[in-house]
Amino acid sequence: MLSPRAAAQVRVMQADLPVANQALRLLMETGGCSGFQYGMSFDEPKADDTRFESEGVQIVIDATSLAYLDGSTIDFDDGLHGKGFEIKNPNAQSTCGCGKSFN
């Protein structure tokens, strides 16, 4: 799910958190220019979350988001024209130009 570059960036971000050992939460929510948008945050796992590890990073995701994001990969681009985190979702029928929302 996470590329090595994405995992490295998540670990950098986790080091700055006031609460240690929070998992990366992946989610989708309604909104964005294509109907749904991707979200990422750091959070404590909830009882009904699916939990897994990718590249040494603990990830949690709720059941609804998992149905939309299953099989997705996340990369991080910090180059000259870098977009930050990029999600490649095989379940998306279409995406918008910003890469942050899908349908």
Side-chain angles (χ1 to χ4, degrees), residues 18-83:
V19 177
N21 299 322
Q22 287 190 320
L24 176 66
R25 178 170 296 283
L26 302 177
L27 58 117
M28 54 70 48
E29 51 197 1
T30 57
C33 44
S34 293
F36 295 105
Q37 62 188 8
Y38 300 111
M40 294 172 38
S41 65
F42 293 103
D43 197 6
E44 296 294 326
K46 297 182 179 33
D48 58 345
D49 284 337
T50 297
R51 303 173 193 200
F52 58 96
E53 182 179 306
S54 177
E55 295 289 326
V57 174
Q58 295 298 315
I59 298 172
V60 294
I61 188 167
D62 65 89
T64 301
S65 296
L66 182 60
Y68 286 96
L69 298 174
D70 191 32
S72 296
T73 58
I74 302 171
D75 195 12
F76 183 78
D77 183 1
D78 63 350
L80 185 59
H81 298 288
K83 297 179 182 177

Side-chain angles (χ1 to χ4, degrees), residues 29 31-34 36-39 83-87 95-102:
E29 51 197 1
C33 44
S34 293
F36 295 105
Q37 62 188 8
Y38 300 111
K83 297 179 182 177
F85 288 101
E86 298 177 288
I87 299 176
T95 59
C96 69
C98 71
K100 306 259 188 263
S101 66
F102 66 100

